[in-house]
Amino acid sequence: MSGLPELIKDLALILVVAGVVTVLFKKLKQPLVLGYIVAGFLVSPHMPYIPSIIDKTDIQTWADIGVIFLLFSMGLDFSFKKITKLGMAPFIAVTLIFISMFTLGYVAGHFFGWTHMECVFLAAVFAVCSSTTIIYKTFTDLKLKQQNFTNLVLSVLVLEDVISIIVMVMLSAIAGGDSVNGEQLAGIVTKIVFFIVLWFVVGIFFVPLLLRKIRGLLTNEILLIVSLALCFFMAILSSLVGFSSAFGAFVIGSILAETVEGTHIIKVVDPIKDLFGAVFFVSVGMLVNLHVIIEYAVPIVVI
């Protein structure tokens, strides 16, 4: 019998270290997501004192799957209808956050004597620095998802994710030496709005109709497969039109949340989401490089 592939060995190492660290963090009453990140640092090549991950490319692929599951689950717990019910509050909050944080980031870059382009990139990091996946995971671990403020926070995060798509497209063009004019920016925004509207038109009519037609056949296994099929189909479609795959997963999750099977889907998807979500957060910890942190200690502390 041939030896185990390196991918399986890496996964085993991740789960063993993550299991030990998260149990410790649970005992210390700390968020599990922090435990995953610490576990990722421990198994990364930057920590030479214990066994390390060999093939980071394969782990990154698993992490990408984890992001899709996390955003899909977030969509199942939260729909765009909740944003509309909150009125203008999320939109006002996002506008104020983006303007103030972008300005603060640009000023911080000047304080360090960085170039104009470096200041712009730092400002963009400031403006869209909130991690939807980490905050959602923390709310889940701390059992805060049912609190009144949670809907507002998640609404702001979703709107920030939409803004981040525009920002990343603009920064990619700027980094490549191109300029982004008003017409291109309007085209990006129009494509986002059109795509979301198209998704919801299809979702309102097609997805509920599909689930009603096959409802009598839906065992837990079939419901899981159908839900994940829709999730990854929308993730691929989102990626093909220039958005992140996780964004597509979130949107289809929010569509399924409005169907009669929404609560049932959450229950069957949760175990898989927890597994791949753990791999994703461990992969985040693998990016921590103490040498870089030490080299840029002053800007990091100030920021």
Side-chain angles (χ1 to χ4, degrees):
M1 182 177 178
S2 60
L4 285 174
E6 298 298 339
L7 176 61
I8 296 180
K9 294 179 182 178
D10 288 343
L11 180 61
L13 178 61
I14 284 176
L15 295 180
V16 169
V17 176
V20 173
V21 174
T22 50
V23 167
L24 177 61
F25 272 64
K26 183 68 173 180
K27 188 175 181 63
L28 296 174
K29 298 182 179 180
Q30 297 299 311
L32 293 185
V33 64
L34 182 58
Y36 288 132
I37 293 174
V38 171
F41 173 69
L42 293 177
V43 300
S44 72
H46 306 302
M47 176 58 73
Y49 306 107
I50 62 175
S52 301
I53 296 300
I54 296 174
D55 193 338
K56 292 179 65 176
T57 303
D58 286 340
I59 299 302
Q60 183 58 49
T61 301
W62 286 51
D64 292 338
I65 297 174
V67 174
I68 291 174
F69 277 118
L70 283 170
L71 268 296
F72 179 58
S73 297
M74 179 179 170
L76 288 171
D77 282 332
F78 179 84
S79 67
F80 280 107
K81 283 186 178 180
K82 292 183 179 179
I83 296 181
T84 58
K85 289 179 181 178
L86 292 171
M88 291 300 297
F91 298 93
I92 295 173
V94 167
T95 301
L96 292 176
I97 290 170
F98 184 84
I99 293 174
S100 58
M101 295 304 292
F102 190 93
T103 303
L104 185 60
Y106 193 85
V107 171
H110 271 290
F111 175 78
F112 298 125
W114 293 355
T115 66
H116 170 72
M117 190 58 62
E118 290 170 340
C119 291
V120 169
F121 273 81
L122 180 61
V125 170
F126 267 57
V128 294
C129 65
S130 299
S131 172
T132 304
T133 53
I134 289 180
I135 293 175
Y136 174 72
K137 174 66 174 172
T138 303
F139 280 166
T140 302
D141 292 343
L142 298 179
K143 296 179 173 58
L144 296 175
K145 289 195 297 182
Q146 304 304 319
Q147 297 295 319
N148 293 331
F149 67 86
T150 302
N151 285 338
L152 179 58
V153 173
L154 293 179
S155 297
V156 171
L157 291 173
V158 169
L159 294 175
E160 279 190 355
D161 286 342
V162 174
I163 293 175
S164 69
I165 295 172
I166 302 173
V167 172
M168 285 189 290
V169 171
M170 293 177 63
L171 291 181
S172 297
I174 294 172
D178 300 326
S179 59
V180 180
N181 54 40
E183 184 178 345
Q184 289 174 310
L185 181 59
I188 296 170
V189 176
T190 301
K191 186 167 70 169
I192 292 174
V193 174
F194 173 77
F195 204 46
I196 292 176
V197 171
L198 178 63
W199 270 340
F200 276 94
V201 169
V202 173
I204 289 171
F205 294 102
F206 173 73
V207 175
L209 177 62
L210 172 65
L211 293 180
R212 282 198 299 269
K213 289 289 185 181
I214 64 175
R215 190 176 187 186
L217 306 173
L218 290 178
T219 62
N220 285 350
E221 181 179 356
I222 295 175
L223 181 62
L224 174 64
I225 298 301
V226 171
S227 301
L228 296 186
L230 290 171
C231 170
F232 280 92
F233 173 76
M234 293 302 282
I236 293 172
L237 184 60
S238 175
S239 180
L240 289 176
V241 298
F243 303 143
S244 70
S245 56
F247 183 67
F250 171 79
V251 172
I252 190 63
S254 65
I255 291 172
L256 289 172
E258 303 298 335
T259 66
V260 293
E261 299 294 340
T263 303
H264 194 182
I265 293 173
I266 293 174
K267 293 180 180 178
V268 298
V269 169
D270 257 357
I272 300 177
K273 179 259 295 183
D274 290 339
L275 170 62
F276 285 100
V279 175
F280 164 70
F281 289 116
V282 169
S283 72
V284 173
M286 290 169 59
L287 299 175
V288 177
N289 188 335
L290 286 180
H291 296 294
V292 174
I293 293 176
I294 293 172
E295 181 180 356
Y296 294 97
V298 174
I300 290 173
V301 170
V302 174
I303 290 172

